[in-house]
Every structure is written in C-alpha cells, then in structure tokens.
C-alpha cells in the first residue's frame, strides 16, 4: 500500500493499537487518581503523587527494568499471573502497552487534576439539591467542565505512548509483528545497512500520525470549549 | 433582647417544619446546636432573620441534607426527612428541597435553558402539581435568556435563573439563602418584583434567609428570629417588627416598623394617597393603587417625632394618636427608642419612634403617656410602601 512494506505497516498498526489501547484503559485510572489527588485528603497522598510522577524523572529504561522485575516470568507479580492465569506479558504487545501506559501516565493525570481543582465542588452540591446523586452530579456537572483537561491529558498521554522506546524495548523487546512499534522499527532501520529509505518512510508515518492526533484533539477541545460557553 | 410572646399565625393549612440538630466537633469542645421549629404556612414567605453566625445557613443546609450532624431531625409536614435517633435518612437528592444559593451556582457548561431543566433529568415531573417549564419561564421573565450562556448573564438575571432551576426540580419547600446579598442596589431593585411575584403565584412554602430588614419587610409575611441556633421569636412581620427592636441584628441599618394599611382615596390635586392604618389617616406620596388595596408601610424610627399635644400650624401631615407602650433601657445612649401603640388597647399596633435623650427628658416621656406620633408624608415614598 502506497509503497509501504508490510513490516512498516505492521509497526504502524502495532503503534496505533498500543497507544489507543493504553489511552482507553488508562483513562478511568487517570481520572480516578486525579480525582483522589484533587478532592480528597488521605494519608500517603504525597507518596502517591510522587510515585505517579516517577516515570517523568527517571530514564524509561529504569521503568522497563522495574516492570521486568515486577511482571516478568520470574517477577513478583508476573510469576503469580503466569501460574494462576497463564498470562505472560513479557514480549507481547500487551506488555508493550503496559510499559507505554506507565511511562505516559503522569502526563494524563496532571491536566485532569488541574482542571478538577478549578471546578467549584459546590456545583455538585447544587446538582444534588436538584435530584442528582453523587455519581450523577459528578458525571453531569464536573466531568463536562473538566473535559478540556481530559482532552489535553489524553493527547499528551497518546503522544508519549506513541513515542515510547526505552521501557518498551527493555520490557517487551523489539519483535517485528508483535512489539515492534514505529520508534523501534525506525531504530532498527537506522542500524541496518541500506535501511535509510525504510527509516524515511517510517518518519513520514510518524509525522502523519502525530499531525492527525494534534488535529483530532484540537477539534475535540474546540467542541468542548464551545459547549462550555453554552453554545 | 427581650423574648416576646410567640404568636403563631392563624393561617389555613400549616406546613410544620421541625429542625433539631446537634454536632460535636473533632476537638470535642465546640458543640453546635440548633433547635428550630416553625409552623410555616403552606404558601408564602417566612423570613429567617439573624446576625451572621446565628445558624441561618446551617439550618438551611441541614434541611436540604447537605450537612449531616451527629444528631439531626428534620420534618416537613408529615414527612420525616431524617431522624438519627430512629435511623431515618432521606438522601439529599430525594428530599425535593429547592435551594437557591447566594452565589447562584449555575452550571457553567450549560446554557440557561439546560440549567433550568437540569433537575428534570433526575426528577421527571410526574404529578400534575409540578410547575410547567413555560409557567416558570413566564413567572421569572426568562424567555429572552433561554439560549444565553451563563457567563453572559447579569447578577440579577443569574439569580432569576437559579430560582427557576430550583422551582423546576419540583420542590416541596423552597429555600432562599440571601439571594440578594451579593447584588448591588440596582440589581436588587430589579429582582425584588420577581420575588414578590413568586410569593403570590406559588403554592409552595418559601423560607427566605436574610439579614436585611428592608427585604424582609417587602417580601415576607412571617418572620422567625434566629439567635445562636434557637428561634427567639416567630410571628407575622408586623408583630415582630412592632414588638422587637431588630436593628442591632440588621446589616442594612434599616430599622423600623411595618404598618398594615389600606388605600382609602387618592388626593390627585396634591399628588398624595390617603391610607387607613390602625383606624387613623395616613398620607403618603402618590401610589398607583385603587382604593381598598392592602399595602405595607415601612416607618423608620428616625422619621417619627413625638408631641404631647396635637400640634397646630405644622408642615407634618400625619399626626397619629397613640400611647407610649414602652421605653426599653438604652443604657445612656444619646438616642432612645420609644414604642408607641397607635392602635387600641384591644388591638395594639406598635410604632417605634426615635428621639434624643434630651427631648425625652424635657417631655418626661414615660409608659402609658398619651402622645402624638408625627410622620412626614415625604418620608413615606414608593420605596417604603409595597403591596401586601
């Protein structure tokens, strides 16, 4: 298709699958975490906040290695998953998605938390006097108001997950057709004699994907801003 | 402050509201208590008046279920909304208590129309007692605002939308928590007629929290004075303002008495209107009302002078016969308040007059002395006279 080889298209498809899957599953976790950090006071809040932000400040390879220790076949959690559920994550695209999610997670939480902190919690109180229970009040009032923050977080998360390299190659390796994402394929191409044309085509694919994501988020935030203005 | 006899209004059908609550704070020392029972009429406005910190807003929040003290009992009519001693707790979203907040709390992501209909998503109007959308829109004159975003509304418009939103959630009781406190004088004047309109057209008890006596006189029929969590007095606005000096509790420095009066005739040649109050004549600046209309006249104590004999050759038009009822202890202040009964012994109508200590001494004012209360007609203008 358009002169792209199946290896290149596979890399595109794996990248897209991993990023979209990561956004989908990370969204509720990020929303819950942001809500806890913005609205609740509890013991260990500072610690939770620090742990979430660790991936921003350590090299991704460190995260990949920690994931191996935790979720590898002999890992603390990984051995248990393997024995009881026959689930192995190492060297699979799901493993790559987990690596990308962990690394990009703080970028998802931060904008949502900031948006939540900007919403007056007394609006939910007003919704409750109008007949909404706590859950309905959150989904009918607070969630639509923080939607721009969610879109920003989702875009940052998506972009970071798409570009994830170090944690992925450490934890999920670089297996064509399974865990070889666009950046991994690009890296492989640059290490292969005569791989320059492949590398160039992969760069084009990456740029198109990034541009599409930016345009989509711009469109979404325009829409939600329009609604915020009551249009 | 003397505690007057509590006289319950003889209204048909009463909605009895009982609020009792107690709460011990974490440090164990500070105990909050509230004990307020009102026979609120099933229609019309009952004002809750008291200084800041007297428990007014706390009381509303407890009624609405937004606060859950250690011990609480709230009953509206026959419905027990919560009673911790018997383990009863109706969650706030099921209480159908309309709440209008001072800061409106409109939803910024929704336009006016969607704010108004918000409650209908959760409380679809099932019984035919529910107000229709169109009725609320016309009552509060909102039709021109429906498509507007919230942040394009003025303060007064926002408050009207907030009231409409609460009404459309089909409440059994409407709570207004100082809805005018955040507005300037012009905005207040803009919204007051709508609040008066509500009082007349809604079949719904309204509790109106305020520490502005001017608002209360204009809007409320009944008045409860709340102090340190206790109802100190409850009765009609006329009775309470006539028997108690509420000015120390008011924030607007607007003290005085409310007289119930009836329009007797117009005096077009002089641009005046003649009223009858307590069986006596009262001239006020021209009112556009037909004879027989019932009005309420606010008389400020500083607008009332006292004389021992009927004065002649005086510019003051209103000379009311009366008898001094009481002169409360004023502990050496240069100005003292005198309570004059301008009605009969059987049907007393009280009026407060403010005179200097010097004048009171010169005239040797004392209880049971017959006096004439002098009120300039120009002090009784449109702002002081309203429909009852």
């Amino acid at each position: 298709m358009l002169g792209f080889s199946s290896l290149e298209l596979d890399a595109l498809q794996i990248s897209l699958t991993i990023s979209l899957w990561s956004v989908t599953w990370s969204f509720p976790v990020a929303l819950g975490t942001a809500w806890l950090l913005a609205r609740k006071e509890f013991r260990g809040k500072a610690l939770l906040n620090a742990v979430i932000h660790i991936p921003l400040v350590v090299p991704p390879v460190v995260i990949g290695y920690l994931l191996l220790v935790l979720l590898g076949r002999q890992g603390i959690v990984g051995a248990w998953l393997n024995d009881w559920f026959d689930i192995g994550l190492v060297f699979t695209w799901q493993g790559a998605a987990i690596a990308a999610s962990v690394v990009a997670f703080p970028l998802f939480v931060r904008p949502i938390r900031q948006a939540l902190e900007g919403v007056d919690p007394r609006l939910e109180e007003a919704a409750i006097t109008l007949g909404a229970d706590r859950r309905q009040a959150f989904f009918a009032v607070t969630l639509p108001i923080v939607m721009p923050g969610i879109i920003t977080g989702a875009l940052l998360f998506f972009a970071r997950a798409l570009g994830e390299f170090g944690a992925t190659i450490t934890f999920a390796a670089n297996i064509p057709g399974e865990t070889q994402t666009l950046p991994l394929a690009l890296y492989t191409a640059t290490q292969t004699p005569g791989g320059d044309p492949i590398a160039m085509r992969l760069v084009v694919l990456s740029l198109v994907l990034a541009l599409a994501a930016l345009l989509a988020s711009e469109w979404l935030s325009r829409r939600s801003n329009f609604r915020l203005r009551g249009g | 402050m003397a505690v007057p006899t509590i006289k319950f209004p003889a209204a048909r059908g009463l909605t009895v509201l009982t609020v009792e609550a107690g709460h011990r704070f974490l440090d164990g020392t500070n105990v909050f208590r509230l004990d307020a029972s009102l026979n609120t009429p099933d229609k019309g406005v009952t004002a809750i008046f008291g200084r800041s910190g007297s428990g007014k807003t706390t009381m509303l929040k407890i009624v609405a279920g937004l606060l859950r003290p250690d011990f609480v009992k709230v009953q509206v009519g026959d419905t027990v909304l919560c009673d911790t001693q018997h383990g009863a707790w109706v969650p706030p979203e099921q209480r159908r208590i309309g709440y209008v907040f001072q800061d409106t709390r409109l939803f910024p992501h929704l336009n006016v129309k969607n704010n108004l209909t918000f409650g209908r998503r959760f409380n679809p109007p099932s019984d035919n007692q529910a107000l229709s959308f169109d009725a609320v829109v016309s009552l509060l004159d909102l039709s021109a605002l429906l498509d507007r975003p919230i942040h394009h509304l003025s303060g007064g418009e926002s408050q009207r939308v907030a009231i409409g939103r609460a009404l459309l959630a089909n409440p059994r009781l409407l709570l207004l928590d100082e809805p005018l406190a955040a507005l300037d004088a012009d905005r207040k004047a803009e919204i007051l007629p709508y609040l008066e309109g509500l009082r007349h057209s809604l079949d719904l008890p309204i509790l109106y929290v305020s520490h502005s006596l001017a608002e209360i006189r204009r809007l409320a029929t009944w008045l409860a004075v709340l102090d340190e969590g206790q109802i100190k007095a409850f009765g009609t606005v006329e009775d309470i303002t006539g028997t108690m000096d509420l000015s120390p509790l008011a924030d607007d420095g607007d003290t005085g008495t409310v007289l119930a009066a009836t329009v007797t005739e117009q005096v077009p040649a002089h641009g005046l209107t003649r009223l009858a109050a307590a069986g006596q004549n009262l001239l006020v600046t021209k009112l556009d009302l037909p004879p027989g209309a019932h009005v309420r006249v606010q008389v400020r104590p500083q607008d009332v002078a006292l004389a021992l004999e009927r004065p002649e050759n005086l510019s003051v038009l209103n000379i009311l016969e009366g008898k001094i009822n009481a002169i409360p202890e004023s502990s050496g202040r240069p100005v003292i308040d005198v309570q004059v009964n301008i009605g009969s012994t059987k049907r007393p109508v009280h009026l407060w007059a403010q005179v200097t200590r010097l004048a009171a001494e010169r005239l040797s004012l004392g209880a049971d002395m017959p006096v004439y209360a002098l009120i300039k007609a120009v002090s009784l203008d449109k702002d002081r006279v309203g429909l009852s």
Side-chain angles (χ1 to χ4, degrees), chain B residues 128-199:
Chain B
N128 39 14
Q129 289 181 327
L131 280 159
S132 77
F133 181 79
D134 292 337
V136 170
V137 166
S138 79
L139 188 60
L140 293 160
D141 196 12
L142 297 171
S143 55
L145 307 177
L146 290 178
D147 294 324
R148 284 231 212 130
I150 291 310
H151 51 262
H152 287 179
L153 299 177
S154 72
E157 289 168 342
S158 297
Q159 206 50 273
R160 270 152 59 198
V161 175
I163 293 167
R165 182 178 72 171
L167 288 178
L168 283 168
N170 195 17
R172 66 173 102 226
L173 173 69
L174 186 64
L175 311 177
L176 295 154
D177 190 1
E178 305 207 34
L180 303 184
L183 305 178
D184 60 41
D186 287 348
R187 297 283 92 72
K188 277 182 193 171
E190 172 198 314
I191 196 169
L192 272 165
Y194 293 105
L195 290 171
E196 285 182 318
L198 288 185
R199 183 183 64 184

Side-chain angles (χ1 to χ4, degrees), chain B residues 287-328:
Chain B
L287 300 171
D288 291 322
L289 291 170
H294 295 284
V295 293
R296 301 186 320 151
V297 186
Q298 297 171 27
V299 186
R300 293 185 302 181
Q302 63 265 42
D303 290 334
V304 182
L306 296 178
L308 296 181
E309 290 149 28
R310 181 177 278 278
E312 307 279 333
N313 307 323
L314 192 72
S315 74
V316 176
L317 290 174
N318 295 307
I319 300 172
L320 305 174
E321 279 180 59
K323 200 182 218 184
I324 293 182
N325 197 48
I327 306 178

